[in-house]
Amino acid sequence: MTHIKFNHSPLPKSFGGLVEDILNGGLNKYVKDDFLTNDYFTTHPPVNIVETPEAFLLDVVAPGFSKEDFKISADEKAITISAEKKTETKNEGDKQVRREFNFKSFKRSFTISEQVDAGKINAKYDNGILKVTLGKKENKQDAPKEIVVE
């Protein structure tokens, strides 16, 4: 009978082992593989969100799309931004046909505040960045009323 020893523990036994694994290219064990691919940012585009007194501003980094590829929908609780692009490249040579299909898409949803006015949402796509403006509702407060103490 042959005994086989496996030494594949999920984490190294010491800090030195962890550092050695990272330096020897073992980072894939600790970081999700999707993050290390070129398609990570096309399936999970980074978003910056800024709040101003008048609106919330969302900047979505999405290069390689056109404005027709985007679909934005909003209700009273969430806004969903998605994009889908299908392209086909065809090169013909002598007795050889080569086709490459390219497909990229993403979908991100964000919970929105009840301060957002659905009628004041607009979007613009420029230089690979989708800029979505979520206008806030106007807070109409009554003018302060002075109360006289008697």
Side-chain angles (χ1 to χ4, degrees), residues 44-143:
H44 302 88
V47 176
N48 290 337
I49 302 174
V50 177
E51 181 179 5
T52 67
E54 300 83 28
F56 292 97
L57 308 172
L58 278 74
D59 291 340
V60 182
V61 176
F65 291 95
S66 63
K67 65 181 182 178
E68 293 81 18
D69 297 331
F70 291 99
K71 181 180 177 187
I72 302 172
S73 61
D75 59 22
E76 63 274 352
K77 295 183 181 183
I79 183 167
T80 301
I81 301 169
S82 61
E84 183 176 359
K85 182 173 186 122
K86 295 179 184 179
T87 59
E88 180 180 342
T89 305
K90 185 176 178 180
N91 294 331
E92 293 187 27
D94 296 339
K95 298 181 184 179
Q96 181 180 0
V97 175
R98 183 181 118 198
R99 290 187 182 185
E100 294 179 357
F101 293 95
N102 189 9
F103 177 80
K104 39 184 184 172
S105 68
F106 72 86
K107 184 175 186 178
R108 302 250 350 230
S109 294
F110 303 94
T111 303
I112 57 176
S113 168
E114 58 260 346
Q115 297 175 352
V116 173
D117 184 357
K120 293 183 179 179
I121 297 176
N122 58 43
K124 181 180 178 183
Y125 184 67
D126 188 33
N127 292 329
I129 298 177
L130 176 67
K131 297 177 181 272
V132 181
T133 304
L134 306 167
K136 291 183 179 179
K137 294 177 183 175
E138 293 181 23
N139 289 336
K140 293 186 179 179
Q141 297 180 349
D142 294 332

Side-chain angles (χ1 to χ4, degrees), residues 10-24 26-27 30:
L11 292 174
K13 295 179 182 175
S14 67
F15 179 73
L18 174 66
V19 172
E20 186 176 321
D21 274 357
I22 291 172
L23 293 177
N24 290 330
L27 189 60
Y30 307 105

Side-chain angles (χ1 to χ4, degrees), residues 37-49:
T37 64
N38 291 337
D39 290 337
Y40 179 77
F41 291 110
T42 56
T43 57
H44 302 88
V47 176
N48 290 337
I49 302 174

